[in-house]
Structure formats: structure tokens, C-alpha cells
Amino acid sequence: MTMETMDIIMDLMHIAALIYLIVRSGRRIGPERQALASAFFFFAVVSLLLSDLYWITFDLLYPNTRLPLAVNEISELAAFLLLSSALNKTLREPFGDARRELICAGFFALAGIALWIAWTGEWLQDIVGGIAYAWFVLCSVRAAKLTGAMSRKEWCVLGISSLLLVLGETAVFFVPEPWAKALDDACYALMTLGTLFFLVLLVRERKRGARPDVLLSLSCTGMAWSVSSMYMSDEPYYFIFYLGSMVMLLFMGFSYRREVAA
Amino acid sequence: MIYAENILLCIAIPMLLSMLFLRGKVRRFLLAFLVGMGISLLSAYISGYLTLIADLEAEATAIFLSPIVEEGMKFLPLMFLLFLLQPEDEVFTMAAVGIGAGFATFENCCYILSSGIERLSYVLIRGMAVGVMHIVSVLALALGLEAARRFRLLTFPGMVGAFSLAATFHGLYNLLVSSPGISAVIGYCIPIAGALALYCFYRRLLRSGEKEN
């Protein structure tokens, strides 16, 4: 199977997941607090779907052409902002101390944006999309901290992994070729382990019957990690993180359903 | 080469004069229509300028930049209306339709005059597709904003979300019709499908408003 075929299959799977989420979340829109979160989530998923459709159409009509700044970037930006707002609406205790985690998350997000610019050279696109992404990372980490979704040990693991990832990806630019390849592979392994870490946490909390806001904050933080890994990867690793972000999005949809029902 | 400003003046002056003799909703609609034509001209100026500074071809501008510029320009009068005049949903929807219709009319006039198309079938397709598309995109924007206002989502992310829906829909249409064949056919059908979907959404919005009252 070629990478192009795999790419199309993944895009179609993503579209199917988004349509499913649109149908499920569209019914629960209303003026109540939890239903408002669902409305934000609904519009975020619609934005992602339109972005996907634009991207697929462009890829089919103009294969092997790099997409410049286009409307799908606006859709992705809107989706991150809407997902952040949806998450903030679900927080039962909106105030609390998460300064340490927010500083680390801010550093990780900014380092990610700088690395994307260094890889692609597309300043405008990466800054426009990156600001919304950074906001999503900050909101997710804040929600995960305030809901107590992760233990102290798990925060330490996440912090160290993030730091190693940023240092590793930065070092790839400076070390000579055989080492750069090894370092790059190590980064891919770390990103995969990070995605699995969030999946394990989500399954564990679900089994424990955790509150929907805990599941939501975990799935959002997991999605932030997967999206970041996606943007840092090349094919075929890209597909692993694409699948990871899809699973996180589905978890988010289930959690909003429980949140509205709660 | 055509002088778009002259065309705008020729269409706008009789309309402006007729506004003296009109009152109420018809007058407001005509005003929105004129605003739509005006922003169509301004959008063309901005897109032209961006084409020059980004060193893009006309087709690339139509696919990538025009949807953002045009929807952004339609967004501005709607924001003005929403925040400064705070109209009721019905008036807001009517203003949006007027802006979309004015925009599409002026763009179609300039396109047909500049390219000198004589085939009636193509003119009809163009009218049905572009005409409906501009109305659908601005109506999606307006309905998105109305829904955001009703569900208290009228925040920065809510507005960016509504704008992104309209811009991506427009971008998708421009992208599909940029290439001949089946993609263009799908592209020409998209505005009609979008209009039907919006009609259903509008009916649902009206019903939810009646329930609230």
C-alpha cells in the first residue's frame, strides 16, 4: 500500500469519525451550561470536517503541490479555539493554581511552533495556527490540573517527556547525519509512547468511572500531544499520531455526551 | 479591462434614488444590497493587491486568498450590525441575504462584462452557482452568529467559528470549480445543497425560537 493510498484511507476514516460526532453532538445543543459545551464542540467538529474536505479536494485536484495559506488553516484555528471554549465551559472549579504546569505547557507549545517554522519555513501559517494550538494546549493542561486528572508522578513523566522531545527535535538540526537519524527515531518512539500514555490513562479513568470533566481534560491533553506529534512527524509515523488524535476526538465526543447527561 | 467602479455607479445610482421612495423592510434590504455591491468592489481591490504582493497567479488567488478576503469583508458589516444596532434575527437574516445578493450580482456583472461570455447555459450556471454560493456563505455566517447569540456563544471563538464555516465553504466551492470535469459539476451543485441544508437549519432555529417564546 502506497503512502498516498494510506493518506486517503486515514482522511476518510477521520471524515467518518467527524460525521459520527456531528450527528451525535448536534442533537444535544441547548442553552444549558453542559449543552453549551456540546455546542462549541459541535461547531469545532464541523470546522474540522470542512478543513478535511478542503484538504482532500486540494490533494486530489493538485497532487504533490504544497498548500499555501488557505481557508483550511482558518478552520483548524477555529476548531482549536472552539475546543478550548468547550473545555472551559465544562470546568466545575474554574479557579485554582496551575501556574507551574501552565509555564511548562507554554514552553512546550512555543517550542513546537518554533520547530514547525524551522521545518517548513512558513512563518505566517505556523504562527496563525500555532497561537490557537498553544491556547488549546494551555486550556487542556489547566483543565487536567484543576480536575486532578493526573497524579504528581504522571505530571512528572509528561513534563520530562515533553522536555526530552523538544531537546531531541532541536538537536536533530545540529548533530551530524547518522546521529540525527537515531535521534529522530528516538523522538518518534517518545511521541508514540506519549500517545499510548494518554490512551492508557483514558482507559484507566473510564474503567474507574471518572467524572466526564476528568475524561474531557485528559482527552484534550492527549489530543494536544497527538496533534503536536503529527505536525512533528513524517509518514508513516504521521499516521500513528493521526489515528491517536482521532481516538482522542472520539473520547472527547463520548465525554461530552456523558457531561450533558450528567 | 473594465472599470468596475463605473459599473457600480451605474447600478447603484438608480437604487439609491429609488430608496427615497421606499420605506421599511424593502428599503433596508436595498441598503444591504448596495453594501454588498460596495464590499464586492473593495474585496476585488484587496485581492488584487494581495495577488501582487504575494506574487500569485489569478487562479491561486481565487482558490486560496479570495475566500478569506471576501468572507472577511462580508463579516465586517454583519459585525457592525450585530454589535452596534443589535437587530432582531429576522432583520439580521434579511441584511445578510441582501449583502450576499448584492455581492453576487456585482461580481457576476463584472465577470460577464470582462469575459464577454455569450452562452446562455454558462451564464445560467454561473448565476445559479456563484449567486447561490455568495448568499449561502453569508447566510451561513449570519445563522451561525444568530445561533451563537441565541446559545450565548457570541465570544471570540464563536465568531471565528462562524467565519471559518463561511470561508471554508466558499473556499471549497472555488477549489472545486477551478478544475474542469466532475469536480466542477460537484462544485456547481454544492451551493444548492448548502442552501437546502441551511434552510433546514434555519427552520430548526425558528422552531427553537418559537419554543423559547
Side-chain angles (χ1 to χ4, degrees), chain A residues 195-220:
Chain A
T195 309
L196 287 174
F197 168 73
F198 281 106
L199 282 174
V200 169
L201 283 185
L202 270 168
V203 172
R204 186 193 69 188
E205 292 301 317
R206 207 176 142 81
K207 274 188 180 167
R208 279 184 188 170
R211 292 197 320 261
D213 58 338
V214 172
L215 292 175
L216 267 174
S217 59
L218 270 180
S219 50
C220 285

mmCIF file of all heavy atoms in Angstrom, chain A residues 195-220:
data_model
loop_
_atom_site.group_PDB
_atom_site.id
_atom_site.type_symbol
_atom_site.label_atom_id
_atom_site.label_comp_id
_atom_site.label_asym_id
_atom_site.label_seq_id
_atom_site.Cartn_x
_atom_site.Cartn_y
_atom_site.Cartn_z
ATOM 1 N N THR A 195 1.609 9.133 23.247
ATOM 2 C CA THR A 195 0.227 8.911 22.791
ATOM 3 C C THR A 195 -0.377 7.715 23.529
ATOM 4 O O THR A 195 -1.528 7.767 23.976
ATOM 5 C CB THR A 195 0.206 8.683 21.262
ATOM 6 O OG1 THR A 195 0.926 9.743 20.644
ATOM 7 C CG2 THR A 195 -1.183 8.628 20.694
ATOM 8 N N LEU A 196 0.434 6.646 23.652
ATOM 9 C CA LEU A 196 -0.045 5.447 24.375
ATOM 10 C C LEU A 196 -0.314 5.773 25.843
ATOM 11 O O LEU A 196 -1.287 5.281 26.427
ATOM 12 C CB LEU A 196 0.987 4.323 24.264
ATOM 13 C CG LEU A 196 1.077 3.650 22.901
ATOM 14 C CD1 LEU A 196 2.232 2.663 22.878
ATOM 15 C CD2 LEU A 196 -0.222 2.923 22.566
ATOM 16 N N PHE A 197 0.545 6.606 26.434
ATOM 17 C CA PHE A 197 0.401 7.019 27.834
ATOM 18 C C PHE A 197 -0.993 7.645 28.054
ATOM 19 O O PHE A 197 -1.706 7.290 28.996
ATOM 20 C CB PHE A 197 1.530 8.019 28.130
ATOM 21 C CG PHE A 197 1.410 8.777 29.420
ATOM 22 C CD1 PHE A 197 1.644 8.153 30.632
ATOM 23 C CD2 PHE A 197 1.096 10.122 29.427
ATOM 24 C CE1 PHE A 197 1.561 8.867 31.831
ATOM 25 C CE2 PHE A 197 1.001 10.844 30.604
ATOM 26 C CZ PHE A 197 1.237 10.202 31.816
ATOM 27 N N PHE A 198 -1.378 8.536 27.140
ATOM 28 C CA PHE A 198 -2.694 9.181 27.284
ATOM 29 C C PHE A 198 -3.842 8.194 27.064
ATOM 30 O O PHE A 198 -4.861 8.258 27.746
ATOM 31 C CB PHE A 198 -2.822 10.370 26.330
ATOM 32 C CG PHE A 198 -2.124 11.586 26.845
ATOM 33 C CD1 PHE A 198 -0.934 12.004 26.300
ATOM 34 C CD2 PHE A 198 -2.642 12.290 27.917
ATOM 35 C CE1 PHE A 198 -0.269 13.113 26.796
ATOM 36 C CE2 PHE A 198 -1.991 13.404 28.427
ATOM 37 C CZ PHE A 198 -0.800 13.810 27.868
ATOM 38 N N LEU A 199 -3.638 7.273 26.120
ATOM 39 C CA LEU A 199 -4.685 6.266 25.871
ATOM 40 C C LEU A 199 -4.884 5.388 27.105
ATOM 41 O O LEU A 199 -6.015 5.108 27.506
ATOM 42 C CB LEU A 199 -4.323 5.405 24.657
ATOM 43 C CG LEU A 199 -4.569 6.054 23.295
ATOM 44 C CD1 LEU A 199 -4.037 5.181 22.188
ATOM 45 C CD2 LEU A 199 -6.059 6.299 23.090
ATOM 46 N N VAL A 200 -3.756 4.977 27.711
ATOM 47 C CA VAL A 200 -3.828 4.138 28.922
ATOM 48 C C VAL A 200 -4.534 4.905 30.045
ATOM 49 O O VAL A 200 -5.418 4.371 30.732
ATOM 50 C CB VAL A 200 -2.406 3.689 29.341
ATOM 51 C CG1 VAL A 200 -2.415 3.056 30.727
ATOM 52 C CG2 VAL A 200 -1.837 2.714 28.326
ATOM 53 N N LEU A 201 -4.152 6.181 30.215
ATOM 54 C CA LEU A 201 -4.784 6.999 31.262
ATOM 55 C C LEU A 201 -6.296 7.107 31.038
ATOM 56 O O LEU A 201 -7.084 6.976 31.979
ATOM 57 C CB LEU A 201 -4.200 8.417 31.257
ATOM 58 C CG LEU A 201 -2.833 8.636 31.874
ATOM 59 C CD1 LEU A 201 -2.493 10.117 31.880
ATOM 60 C CD2 LEU A 201 -2.790 8.120 33.302
ATOM 61 N N LEU A 202 -6.671 7.318 29.771
ATOM 62 C CA LEU A 202 -8.100 7.470 29.454
ATOM 63 C C LEU A 202 -8.881 6.196 29.763
ATOM 64 O O LEU A 202 -9.953 6.242 30.372
ATOM 65 C CB LEU A 202 -8.268 7.831 27.976
ATOM 66 C CG LEU A 202 -8.257 9.328 27.665
ATOM 67 C CD1 LEU A 202 -8.145 9.560 26.175
ATOM 68 C CD2 LEU A 202 -9.517 9.996 28.188
ATOM 69 N N VAL A 203 -8.310 5.058 29.326
ATOM 70 C CA VAL A 203 -8.988 3.771 29.555
ATOM 71 C C VAL A 203 -9.089 3.514 31.062
ATOM 72 O O VAL A 203 -10.139 3.106 31.568
ATOM 73 C CB VAL A 203 -8.236 2.629 28.824
ATOM 74 C CG1 VAL A 203 -8.803 1.275 29.199
ATOM 75 C CG2 VAL A 203 -8.311 2.836 27.307
ATOM 76 N N ARG A 204 -8.001 3.793 31.781
ATOM 77 C CA ARG A 204 -7.989 3.564 33.232
ATOM 78 C C ARG A 204 -9.073 4.410 33.924
ATOM 79 O O ARG A 204 -9.855 3.906 34.725
ATOM 80 C CB ARG A 204 -6.604 3.935 33.784
ATOM 81 C CG ARG A 204 -6.422 3.615 35.250
ATOM 82 C CD ARG A 204 -5.188 4.276 35.806
ATOM 83 N NE ARG A 204 -5.347 5.724 35.881
ATOM 84 C CZ ARG A 204 -4.367 6.571 36.184
ATOM 85 N NH1 ARG A 204 -3.152 6.117 36.395
ATOM 86 N NH2 ARG A 204 -4.577 7.865 36.257
ATOM 87 N N GLU A 205 -9.127 5.707 33.567
ATOM 88 C CA GLU A 205 -10.097 6.596 34.216
ATOM 89 C C GLU A 205 -11.531 6.229 33.853
ATOM 90 O O GLU A 205 -12.441 6.361 34.649
ATOM 91 C CB GLU A 205 -9.819 8.064 33.829
ATOM 92 C CG GLU A 205 -8.535 8.617 34.397
ATOM 93 C CD GLU A 205 -8.470 8.567 35.925
ATOM 94 O OE1 GLU A 205 -9.479 8.896 36.577
ATOM 95 O OE2 GLU A 205 -7.414 8.172 36.458
ATOM 96 N N ARG A 206 -11.703 5.761 32.644
ATOM 97 C CA ARG A 206 -13.040 5.345 32.213
ATOM 98 C C ARG A 206 -13.503 4.124 32.999
ATOM 99 O O ARG A 206 -14.655 4.040 33.418
ATOM 100 C CB ARG A 206 -13.017 5.045 30.710
ATOM 101 C CG ARG A 206 -14.350 5.240 30.027
ATOM 102 C CD ARG A 206 -14.199 5.016 28.536
ATOM 103 N NE ARG A 206 -15.369 4.338 28.021
ATOM 104 C CZ ARG A 206 -16.498 4.928 27.714
ATOM 105 N NH1 ARG A 206 -16.646 6.212 27.884
ATOM 106 N NH2 ARG A 206 -17.519 4.249 27.229
ATOM 107 N N LYS A 207 -12.545 3.198 33.193
ATOM 108 C CA LYS A 207 -12.868 1.986 33.964
ATOM 109 C C LYS A 207 -13.192 2.342 35.407
ATOM 110 O O LYS A 207 -14.026 1.709 36.050
ATOM 111 C CB LYS A 207 -11.692 1.004 33.917
ATOM 112 C CG LYS A 207 -11.747 0.111 32.691
ATOM 113 C CD LYS A 207 -10.683 -0.957 32.791
ATOM 114 C CE LYS A 207 -10.725 -1.850 31.562
ATOM 115 N NZ LYS A 207 -9.529 -2.686 31.495
ATOM 116 N N ARG A 208 -12.489 3.362 35.927
ATOM 117 C CA ARG A 208 -12.714 3.781 37.309
ATOM 118 C C ARG A 208 -14.023 4.557 37.455
ATOM 119 O O ARG A 208 -14.404 4.920 38.563
ATOM 120 C CB ARG A 208 -11.582 4.705 37.759
ATOM 121 C CG ARG A 208 -10.339 3.998 38.182
ATOM 122 C CD ARG A 208 -9.357 5.058 38.688
ATOM 123 N NE ARG A 208 -8.060 4.477 38.949
ATOM 124 C CZ ARG A 208 -6.979 5.193 39.213
ATOM 125 N NH1 ARG A 208 -7.054 6.512 39.208
ATOM 126 N NH2 ARG A 208 -5.843 4.600 39.466
ATOM 127 N N GLY A 209 -14.645 4.896 36.332
ATOM 128 C CA GLY A 209 -15.889 5.670 36.361
ATOM 129 C C GLY A 209 -15.639 7.119 36.723
ATOM 130 O O GLY A 209 -16.423 7.735 37.466
ATOM 131 N N ALA A 210 -14.552 7.699 36.166
ATOM 132 C CA ALA A 210 -14.201 9.089 36.476
ATOM 133 C C ALA A 210 -15.261 10.056 35.949
ATOM 134 O O ALA A 210 -16.042 9.712 35.068
ATOM 135 C CB ALA A 210 -12.856 9.416 35.844
ATOM 136 N N ARG A 211 -15.264 11.263 36.521
ATOM 137 C CA ARG A 211 -16.217 12.297 36.089
ATOM 138 C C ARG A 211 -15.949 12.653 34.623
ATOM 139 O O ARG A 211 -14.806 12.579 34.157
ATOM 140 C CB ARG A 211 -16.042 13.560 36.934
ATOM 141 C CG ARG A 211 -16.454 13.426 38.389
ATOM 142 C CD ARG A 211 -16.637 14.812 38.994
ATOM 143 N NE ARG A 211 -15.634 15.772 38.580
ATOM 144 C CZ ARG A 211 -14.566 16.104 39.310
ATOM 145 N NH1 ARG A 211 -14.331 15.542 40.460
ATOM 146 N NH2 ARG A 211 -13.724 17.026 38.875
ATOM 147 N N PRO A 212 -17.000 13.109 33.889
ATOM 148 C CA PRO A 212 -16.786 13.451 32.472
ATOM 149 C C PRO A 212 -15.762 14.566 32.270
ATOM 150 O O PRO A 212 -15.019 14.553 31.289
ATOM 151 C CB PRO A 212 -18.157 13.908 31.986
ATOM 152 C CG PRO A 212 -19.122 13.622 33.051
ATOM 153 C CD PRO A 212 -18.419 13.221 34.282
ATOM 154 N N ASP A 213 -15.693 15.542 33.214
ATOM 155 C CA ASP A 213 -14.719 16.629 33.013
ATOM 156 C C ASP A 213 -13.273 16.124 33.143
ATOM 157 O O ASP A 213 -12.367 16.659 32.489
ATOM 158 C CB ASP A 213 -14.988 17.814 33.952
ATOM 159 C CG ASP A 213 -14.971 17.421 35.416
ATOM 160 O OD1 ASP A 213 -15.176 16.233 35.693
ATOM 161 O OD2 ASP A 213 -14.774 18.311 36.270
ATOM 162 N N VAL A 214 -13.081 15.059 33.913
ATOM 163 C CA VAL A 214 -11.738 14.460 34.023
ATOM 164 C C VAL A 214 -11.378 13.803 32.680
ATOM 165 O O VAL A 214 -10.285 14.006 32.139
ATOM 166 C CB VAL A 214 -11.707 13.413 35.169
ATOM 167 C CG1 VAL A 214 -10.398 12.653 35.173
ATOM 168 C CG2 VAL A 214 -11.959 14.085 36.505
ATOM 169 N N LEU A 215 -12.341 13.052 32.142
ATOM 170 C CA LEU A 215 -12.109 12.370 30.854
ATOM 171 C C LEU A 215 -11.878 13.396 29.743
ATOM 172 O O LEU A 215 -11.021 13.212 28.875
ATOM 173 C CB LEU A 215 -13.303 11.486 30.501
ATOM 174 C CG LEU A 215 -13.525 10.264 31.380
ATOM 175 C CD1 LEU A 215 -14.803 9.561 30.995
ATOM 176 C CD2 LEU A 215 -12.354 9.297 31.255
ATOM 177 N N LEU A 216 -12.654 14.476 29.813
ATOM 178 C CA LEU A 216 -12.519 15.517 28.783
ATOM 179 C C LEU A 216 -11.150 16.169 28.820
ATOM 180 O O LEU A 216 -10.509 16.346 27.778
ATOM 181 C CB LEU A 216 -13.568 16.601 29.032
ATOM 182 C CG LEU A 216 -14.859 16.434 28.283
ATOM 183 C CD1 LEU A 216 -15.855 17.470 28.717
ATOM 184 C CD2 LEU A 216 -14.610 16.544 26.799
ATOM 185 N N SER A 217 -10.713 16.523 30.037
ATOM 186 C CA SER A 217 -9.417 17.205 30.134
ATOM 187 C C SER A 217 -8.296 16.259 29.686
ATOM 188 O O SER A 217 -7.358 16.695 29.009
ATOM 189 C CB SER A 217 -9.175 17.709 31.550
ATOM 190 O OG SER A 217 -9.198 16.638 32.444
ATOM 191 N N LEU A 218 -8.437 14.980 30.009
ATOM 192 C CA LEU A 218 -7.415 14.009 29.583
ATOM 193 C C LEU A 218 -7.413 13.840 28.065
ATOM 194 O O LEU A 218 -6.349 13.810 27.435
ATOM 195 C CB LEU A 218 -7.672 12.655 30.236
ATOM 196 C CG LEU A 218 -7.011 12.386 31.584
ATOM 197 C CD1 LEU A 218 -7.379 10.999 32.053
ATOM 198 C CD2 LEU A 218 -5.498 12.521 31.482
ATOM 199 N N SER A 219 -8.627 13.715 27.489
ATOM 200 C CA SER A 219 -8.677 13.517 26.024
ATOM 201 C C SER A 219 -8.171 14.759 25.292
ATOM 202 O O SER A 219 -7.541 14.652 24.245
ATOM 203 C CB SER A 219 -10.069 13.110 25.554
ATOM 204 O OG SER A 219 -11.036 13.962 26.053
ATOM 205 N N CYS A 220 -8.445 15.965 25.857
ATOM 206 C CA CYS A 220 -7.944 17.187 25.209
ATOM 207 C C CYS A 220 -6.421 17.267 25.304
ATOM 208 O O CYS A 220 -5.755 17.622 24.329
ATOM 209 C CB CYS A 220 -8.559 18.429 25.857
ATOM 210 S SG CYS A 220 -10.260 18.684 25.366
#
